[in-house]
Amino acid sequence: MKRLYRKTKRLVVRPLRLEDFEAWREAHASMRGAQNSWDLGAKPAKFLTMTEFKKMLATQRKQRESDTFYSMAVFDAAGRLVGGVSIMEVSRGISQTAYLGYRIFNDYWGQGFGKEAVKAVLDIGFRDVKLHRIEAGIEPRNRRSHALAKSLGLRREGLKKRALYLRGDWIDITMYTATCEEFGIKWKGIPKVHVR
């Protein structure tokens, strides 16, 4: 059974629940506009309804149940939603790998939440999702994200040319990678999928 939950020194990382609606709505309504080309900024009010939230929860639940995508919320000690981390595009078979995604909302930048949350989701990915390898693809100009990957001990593996279609164009990404052994975790073989 996957235990998709981590409590760190200052944060809780776990999937969103129905009772998180107000924290989710408040976080998306109150953040500043996009601060750079990688920041999404606030969501329009028309998307911050209980109906939309329930749709999102249902999609996330189906993705977890199908063992393809694990989207998790990041809460601070006061219960505020400060961002999200994801294990995306899980590939089983001979690779047992996935992509890493992370976003700290711009109201909370510069406080070290990104490093703390990503470290927690790497642990979830290796211990609970039973992955062998997790990769982060970062745009070459995103210096803060490169610094985060390096600070966590992810290994730079090189540049993938025209790898992702974002914002209307094919972009290059620099690949950073970790395997479970590099985090002191012995890989235990292909898992049986059980999600709660």
Side-chain angles (χ1 to χ4, degrees), residues 20 51 78 151 159 185:
D20 298 323
T51 300
S151 75
L159 185 71
I185 301 165

Side-chain angles (χ1 to χ4, degrees), residues 114-116 119 144-154 176:
K115 183 174 181 178
E116 203 169 322
K119 187 174 179 182
R144 290 180 81 159
S145 201
H146 285 270
L148 173 62
K150 290 175 188 174
S151 75
L152 286 162
L154 274 67
Y176 287 86

